[in-house]
C-alpha cells in the first residue's frame, strides 16, 4: 500500500467516524426533545404588582415573555397590575396596551383633574352631605376611568368569566381589612376597585362589600397566584427600591411621604416575594405613581423589558427544575 492509498483510507475512516458520531448526537437530541415535550408543562402565573405609572413596566415584561415563547397561563394583579393584566387577559396585544400608555390614555382617565384642583374644590363636594347624600370618602369617584377602561375591552370579553386567560384583581375589603380577590363579574369595575387608592379615590361597592386598592394588604399577589392553581409564579413588583439615604434627603418637600410609601410597600411585598419562584423587579425609581407623562411610561416599559431579559436564564432553569419535579411526582 503506497502513501496515497493509506492517506485515502484514513480520510474515509475519519469521515465514517464523524458520520456515526453525528447520527448519535442527532438521535440523542431528538430523544431529549421528545422527553421534554412529554413532560407535563408547569402552569405559569404572573403576579403583577401595583405602582401607578411605574406599572407600565408590566408591558415590557409581557413583551419579552411572548417573544421568548414562554406561555403565561393565568394572571393576578393589584392596582395597575390588575389594569394591565386584565387588558392582556381580554386579548389585547402588548402593542395595543402600550399605545394606551404612550398617549397616555389610561393614566389621564385615572386622574380626572389635577389633585390640587380636587383638594381646592373639596368644600363643594362636602355640601351635598348637608342634604343627606353620603358617598364614600375620597377625592375621585373613578367612574370616568371605569367607563374608559370598559371601552378598551372587546365587547365579548368585558366580564372576567369570558376572558382568554384566568384572571383575578386583588382588592382590600375595608369591612374586615382582608384581601378580596375579584375573579368574576365586570372587569372594568374590578380594575376600578383594585386601583382605588385610599383617600385619592373613593371605595367601590362590589356584591355588598366596600373595596379599595389591593396594595393595602397584598401589593404583589403571589399567594393568590398559587390559589389559582399555578405551578410556577413570576412576581413583578414595580415599586421604588428601599435603599439607605442620608438624613438631609428629608428636608425636601414631599420626601417624607415618598419615603413612607417606599417603606410600606417594601415591607408588605417581602413575604409575598419570598413565595414566588422568580422575582423580576424593574428599575422604576424616580417615576411618580400618578404621573401622566408618556416619557415616564416609556421608561417604565423599557425597564420592564430589561429586567425580564436579565431574568430569562433563571426562569428557564427553574422551569426545568419544576418540570422535572412534576415528572417525578407522576
Amino acid at each position: 500500500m503506497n502513501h496515497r492509498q493509506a492517506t485515502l483510507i484514513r480520510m474515509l475512516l475519519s469521515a465514517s467516524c464523524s458520520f456515526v458520531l453525528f447520527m448519535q448526537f442527532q438521535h440523542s437530541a431528538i430523544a431529549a426533545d421528545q422527553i421534554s415535550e412529554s413532560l407535563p408543562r408547569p402552569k405559569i402565573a404572573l403576579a403583577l404588582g401595583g405602582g401607578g405609572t411605574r406599572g407600565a413596566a408590566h408591558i415590557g415584561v409581557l413583551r419579552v415573555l411572548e417573544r421568548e415563547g414562554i406561555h403565561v397561563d393565568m394572571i393576578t394583579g393589584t392596582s395597575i397590575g390588575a389594569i394591565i393584566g386584565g387588558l392582556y387577559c381580554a386579548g389585547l396585544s402588548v402593542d395595543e396596551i402600550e399605545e394606551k400608555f404612550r398617549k397616555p390614555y389610561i393614566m389621564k382617565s385615572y386622574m380626572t383633574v389635577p389633585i390640587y384642583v380636587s383638594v381646592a374644590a373639596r368644600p363643594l363636594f362636602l355640601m351635598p352631605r348637608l342634604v343627606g347624600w353620603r358617598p364614600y370618602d375620597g377625592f375621585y369617584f373613578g367612574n370616568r376611568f371605569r367607563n374608559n377602561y370598559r371601552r378598551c375591552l372587546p365587547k365579548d370579553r368585558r366580564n372576567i368569566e369570558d376572558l382568554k386567560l384566568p384572571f383575578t384583581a386583588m382588592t382590600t375589603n375595608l369591612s374586615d381589612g382582608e384581601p378580596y380577590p375579584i375573579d368574576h363579574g365586570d372587569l372594568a369595575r374590578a380594575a376600578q376597585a383594585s386601583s382605588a387608592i385610599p383617600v385619592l379615590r373613593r371605595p367601590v361597592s362590589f356584591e355588598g362589600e366596600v373595596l379599595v386598592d389591593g396594595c393595602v394588604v397584598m401589593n404583589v399577589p403571589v399567594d393568590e397566584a398559587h390559589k389559582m392553581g399555578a405551578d410556577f409564579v413570576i412576581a413583578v413588583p414595580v415599586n421604588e427600591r428601599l435603599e439607605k439615604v442620608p438624613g438631609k434627603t428629608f428636608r425636601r418637600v414631599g420626601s417624607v411621604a415618598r419615603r413612607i410609601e417606599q417603606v410600606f410597600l417594601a415591607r408588605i411585598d417581602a413575604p409575598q416575594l419570598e413565595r414566588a419562584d422568580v422575582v423580576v423587579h424593574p428599575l422604576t425609581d424616580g417615576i411618580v405613581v400618578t404621573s401622566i407623562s408618556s416619557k415616564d411610561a416609556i421608561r417604565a416599559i423599557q425597564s420592564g423589558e430589561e429586567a425580564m431579559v436579565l431574568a430569562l436564564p433563571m426562569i428557564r432553569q427553574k422551569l426545568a427544575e419544576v418540570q422535572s419535579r412534576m415528572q417525578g411526582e407522576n
Side-chain angles (χ1 to χ4, degrees):
M1 181 183 299
N2 58 36
H3 177 71
R4 182 174 297 176
Q5 290 174 326
T7 301
L8 180 60
I9 290 173
R10 282 197 299 269
M11 290 175 62
L12 290 172
L13 287 173
S14 177
S16 177
C17 289
S18 298
F19 177 75
V20 171
L21 289 172
F22 173 76
M23 292 303 295
Q24 289 178 338
F25 173 79
Q26 287 288 90
H27 177 75
S28 299
I30 292 171
D33 287 343
Q34 290 173 340
I35 292 173
S36 177
E37 290 175 0
S38 66
L39 292 176
R41 188 180 70 79
K43 293 181 180 178
I44 301 173
L46 288 181
L48 304 180
T53 302
R54 300 169 194 153
H58 296 317
I59 299 170
V61 166
L62 288 165
R63 173 170 286 117
V64 173
L65 288 173
E66 277 195 357
R67 187 175 66 217
E68 297 297 322
I70 299 175
H71 178 72
V72 175
D73 297 285
M74 60 196 76
I75 295 178
T76 178
T78 296
S79 199
I80 190 66
I83 291 170
I84 292 176
L87 292 173
Y88 188 77
C89 290
L92 273 72
S93 71
V94 174
D95 289 340
E96 287 174 327
I97 300 172
E98 178 176 348
E99 183 64 22
K100 299 185 186 306
F101 278 82
R102 281 180 174 270
K103 287 192 174 178
Y105 179 80
I106 293 291
M107 293 309 296
K108 282 186 176 179
S109 66
Y110 185 88
M111 300 294 291
T112 310
V113 296
I115 186 65
Y116 65 84
V117 175
S118 184
V119 172
R122 182 67 168 169
L124 296 176
F125 288 106
L126 293 176
M127 291 180 65
R129 291 179 178 271
L130 299 176
V131 295
W133 187 46
R134 296 286 189 273
Y136 292 128
D137 187 31
F139 287 114
Y140 299 100
F141 280 102
N143 294 335
R144 179 184 172 190
F145 164 78
R146 183 183 70 235
N147 293 334
N148 286 345
Y149 187 84
R150 184 177 289 114
R151 281 192 283 269
C152 293
L153 302 170
K155 291 183 178 180
D156 60 342
R157 297 197 192 101
R158 291 182 173 177
N159 285 324
I160 294 175
E161 299 92 324
D162 300 325
L163 300 181
K164 283 189 169 184
L165 296 175
F167 170 78
T168 61
M170 182 56 63
T171 72
T172 300
N173 190 333
L174 281 183
S175 297
D176 59 15
E178 294 294 324
Y180 190 97
I182 301 178
D183 60 1
H184 63 280
D186 183 9
L187 174 56
R189 193 168 190 84
Q192 179 190 9
S194 184
S195 60
I197 300 174
V199 181
L200 181 63
R201 289 267 294 275
R202 297 186 181 190
V204 176
S205 177
F206 181 84
E207 296 185 351
E209 304 295 347
V210 182
L211 309 176
V212 295
D213 198 314
C215 75
V216 177
V217 290
M218 192 178 291
N219 190 47
V220 186
V222 173
D223 285 349
E224 180 62 22
H226 286 299
K227 290 178 183 178
M228 292 172 71
D231 301 306
F232 190 88
V233 180
I234 301 173
V236 188
V238 293
N239 47 288
E240 294 182 300
R241 285 162 170 74
L242 180 63
E243 297 177 346
K244 189 174 178 62
V245 295
K248 64 181 181 180
T249 301
F250 306 110
R251 296 185 184 277
R252 294 197 296 268
V253 175
S255 58
V256 173
R258 181 175 176 181
R259 187 59 166 180
I260 293 302
E261 176 205 335
Q262 293 171 347
V263 172
F264 172 77
L265 291 177
R267 294 289 180 265
I268 203 169
D269 285 354
Q272 291 295 312
L273 300 183
E274 288 176 358
R275 293 191 279 275
D277 293 279
V278 175
V279 176
V280 180
H281 194 167
L283 182 61
T284 59
D285 294 11
I287 299 177
V288 179
V289 171
T290 55
S291 171
I292 58 173
S293 166
S294 58
K295 289 183 179 178
D296 284 341
I298 291 169
R299 182 162 78 84
I301 292 169
Q302 292 172 343
S303 178
E305 290 187 32
E306 292 166 0
M308 180 52 74
V309 167
L310 290 175
L312 282 174
M314 181 180 293
I315 289 174
R316 288 198 172 98
Q317 177 187 336
K318 290 197 171 185
L319 271 174
E321 292 172 359
V322 172
Q323 191 174 30
S324 297
R325 185 170 67 247
M326 291 173 65
Q327 176 67 9
E329 293 172 354
N330 291 339

